[in-house]
């Protein structure tokens, strides 16, 4: 193979919109609205509308978005929040920031998202919220999650940090629960040129509280009515995100086309490819296959110039940082198996059909020996 196929290619995207981005950044330098300001305000309207939400607030990270959503729902010490262990650590860290405790339920191994059938057994008198994660860009199964939440009077915070533009039964994520939390970390489907995050909600009171909390709990300057934070979104990020939002649909279709190429090129190889639920518009932040020989596959692919990633190698209940929760290996078998087996292939909007072919060829070469195909999958074929 002549050249390396990167896991993501942020430079290609920048160069495709360079003149607009440069002008947008220069505009902020001229206006000197470096934090919040008019670009952020316009972006808030545009992105909230894009996510089919009435309200939206820009914040400094996706983690802060989760934190403020939980705080606005009045969650704190003594409360429990149900989430999944197969996620990026931030989903759980944000729960801890509030003083509440995370209670895990396992994932559905097909979709990698929260298994709704396991939620009710995890509810206690202290449970205040459910935090499903739309992992890899696939929406969690929101109808049963919302039905359980309403029955037990629980708040739902959607972790949509990987799922900009994803849809569940035609509804955009972040508009279904009480809150949606988004990340604009540079590698995300909509990425800032620095850090950024966003809280969506349909509820004006929640929106008001989030907006106060992100800016020192102030209703007006120096009128601090809540104990707040400095979680403001920067003006330059607002301006960059406004430019990039115009291209997001096109980029999402680029990802979906690449995923369709991979699906087709890997069909019949025995390699488990991502399952997209019929109710989902999967936006493929990550395209992960599964293998029991991950280290060997990753090394072999790397030698052939194919860069890969692992999202995520250790489920949160087995991370040393959360050992105090008292969970053990074996507690969440589907999350643990996924963490051991997932391998993320190159995925970015600009990836070409030829690059997908080269990646798939390298994967098929690994699979052809028969080692590395998860046994359940082997048996099912
Ligand atoms: C599922 C998930 N939740 C939360 C976050 C936190 O977002 P951020 O890195 O912007 O704080 C991320 C991304 O990093 C994520 O992937």
């Amino acid at each position: 193979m002549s050249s390396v196929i990167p896991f993501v290619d942020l430079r290609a995207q920048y160069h495709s919109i360079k003149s607009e981005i440069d002008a947008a950044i220069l505009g902020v330098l001229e206006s000197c609205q470096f934090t919040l300001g008019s670009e952020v305000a316009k972006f808030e309207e545009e992105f909230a509308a894009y996510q089919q939400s009435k309200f939206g607030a820009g914040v400094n990270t996706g983690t802060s978005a989760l934190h403020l959503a939980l705080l606005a729902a009045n969650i704190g010490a003594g409360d429990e929040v149900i989430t999944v262990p197969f996620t990026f650590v931030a989903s759980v860290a944000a729960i801890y920031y509030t003083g509440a405790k995370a209670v895990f339920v396992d994932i559905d191994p097909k979709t990698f998202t929260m298994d709704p059938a396991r939620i009710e057994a995890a509810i206690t008198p202290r449970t205040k919220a459910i935090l499903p994660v739309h992992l890899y860009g696939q929406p969690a199964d929101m109808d049963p999650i919302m039905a359980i939440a309403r029955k037990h009077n629980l708040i739902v915070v959607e972790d949509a940090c990987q799922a900009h533009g994803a849809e569940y039964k035609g509804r955009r994520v972040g508009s279904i629960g009480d809150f949606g939390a988004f990340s604009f970390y540079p590698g995300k489907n909509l990425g800032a040129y620095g850090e950024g995050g966003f809280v969506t909600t349909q509820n004006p009171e929640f929106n008001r509280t989030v907006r106060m909390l992100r800016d020192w709990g102030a209703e007006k300057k120096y009128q601090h009515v809540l104990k707040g934070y400095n979680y403001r979104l920067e003006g330059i990020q607002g301006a960059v995100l406004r430019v990039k939002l115009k291209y997001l649909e096109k980029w999402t279709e680029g990802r979906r086309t690449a995923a369709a190429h991979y699906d087709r090129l890997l069909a019949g190889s025995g390699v488990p490819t991502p399952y997209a639920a019929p109710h989902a518009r999967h936006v493929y932040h990550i395209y992960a296959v599964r293998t029991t020989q991950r280290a060997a596959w990753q090394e072999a692919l790397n030698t052939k110039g194919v860069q890969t990633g692992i999202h995520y190698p250790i489920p949160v209940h087995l991370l040393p940082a959360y050992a105090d929760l008292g969970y053990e290996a074996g507690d969440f078998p589907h999350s643990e198996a996924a963490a051991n087996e997932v391998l993320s292939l190159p995925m970015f909007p600009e990836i070409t059909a030829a690059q997908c072919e080269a990646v798939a060829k390298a994967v098929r070469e690994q699979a052809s020996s028969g080692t590395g195909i998860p046994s359940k999958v082997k048996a099912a074929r």
Side-chain angles (χ1 to χ4, degrees):
M1 197 172 300
S2 52
S3 60
V4 169
I5 302 174
F7 179 62
V8 291
D9 191 349
L10 298 184
R11 191 169 291 117
Q13 190 166 86
Y14 169 55
H15 283 287
S16 74
I17 51 172
K18 183 178 181 328
S19 58
E20 276 184 274
I21 290 284
D22 292 359
I25 292 175
L26 288 173
V28 177
L29 298 185
E30 280 301 331
S31 76
C32 293
Q33 294 185 357
F34 292 119
T35 181
L36 298 177
S38 63
E39 288 297 309
V40 169
K42 285 180 210 154
F43 174 68
E44 288 176 335
E45 272 184 31
E46 290 160 5
F47 189 64
Y50 177 79
Q51 292 299 150
Q52 300 175 348
S53 289
K54 286 202 186 106
F55 304 101
V59 293
N60 61 339
T61 65
T63 311
S64 301
L66 288 166
H67 183 197
L68 295 191
L70 292 165
L71 286 181
N74 222 6
I75 286 157
D79 297 334
E80 292 177 358
V81 178
I82 294 173
T83 191
V84 285
F86 189 54
T87 182
F88 182 60
V89 67
S91 315
V92 179
I95 296 169
Y96 276 86
Y97 289 1
T98 70
K101 181 178 168 215
V103 173
F104 294 124
V105 296
D106 210 349
I107 54 166
D108 171 347
K110 250 169 117 179
T111 61
F112 295 124
T113 62
M114 181 179 278
D115 182 351
R118 297 174 189 274
I119 296 173
E120 283 198 292
I123 294 176
T124 75
R126 290 178 295 282
T127 308
K128 288 283 160 56
I130 307 174
L131 195 154
V133 182
H134 305 312
L135 199 75
Y136 296 169
Q138 165 133 268
D141 193 1
M142 290 305 292
D143 277 352
I145 292 173
M146 293 308 294
I148 294 164
R150 294 305 170 235
K151 180 171 153 202
H152 296 272
N153 202 18
L154 305 175
I155 288 285
V156 174
V157 177
E158 298 176 58
D159 183 337
C161 286
Q162 302 188 358
H164 319 71
E167 288 172 17
Y168 176 82
K169 300 187 180 171
R171 286 176 290 161
R172 291 265 157 103
V173 295
S175 71
I176 305 164
D178 298 284
F179 298 91
F182 293 82
S183 166
F184 304 127
Y185 182 76
K188 293 290 195 269
N189 288 24
L190 180 60
Y193 287 163
E195 305 276 355
F198 204 87
V199 183
T200 52
T201 181
Q202 312 286 13
N203 178 321
E205 257 323 291
F206 285 157
N207 177 52
R208 195 173 148 260
T209 307
V210 166
R211 297 176 89 80
M212 283 200 282
L213 286 172
R214 74 167 173 189
D215 194 10
W216 291 117
E219 215 162 20
K220 284 191 227 135
K221 205 164 190 186
Y222 305 130
Q223 309 287 314
H224 303 281
V225 294
L226 297 171
K227 292 191 182 73
Y229 299 80
N230 178 355
Y231 279 176
R232 295 177 297 243
L233 182 62
E234 293 185 346
I236 285 179
Q237 306 311 337
V240 165
L241 288 164
R242 285 192 76 205
V243 172
K244 294 184 80 177
L245 180 57
K246 292 190 288 179
Y247 297 94
L248 184 56
E249 278 301 292
K250 183 178 128 198
W251 290 337
T252 298
E253 286 312 313
R255 289 175 181 274
R256 287 170 54 79
T257 301
H261 284 323
Y262 280 149
D263 286 350
R264 183 174 42 79
L265 294 161
L266 292 173
S269 66
V271 179
T273 52
Y275 169 79
H279 57 241
R281 182 196 193 206
H282 194 321
V283 295
Y284 295 101
H285 174 57
I286 299 286
Y287 185 100
V289 296
R290 294 182 75 142
T291 165
T292 56
Q293 296 290 319
R294 182 168 63 196
W297 284 32
Q298 194 168 31
E299 202 189 316
L301 289 172
N302 196 38
T303 307
K304 291 171 185 168
V306 175
Q307 291 183 351
T308 54
I310 300 173
H311 304 89
Y312 297 93
I314 307 172
V316 180
H317 70 288
L318 299 181
L319 287 173
Y322 293 97
D324 57 330
L325 285 179
Y327 290 111
E328 289 173 10
D331 284 346
F332 304 104
H334 295 310
S335 293
E336 292 166 28
N340 285 331
E341 295 177 359
V342 287
L343 181 65
S344 311
L345 303 185
M347 175 52 78
F348 49 94
E350 299 78 13
I351 194 167
T352 64
Q355 285 176 314
C356 290
E357 272 163 35
V359 172
K361 181 165 173 276
V363 172
R364 287 189 83 105
E365 278 162 12
Q366 286 313 115
S368 63
S369 66
T371 59
I373 305 296
S375 57
K376 264 191 228 135
V377 178
K378 241 193 229 165
R381 276 161 201 266

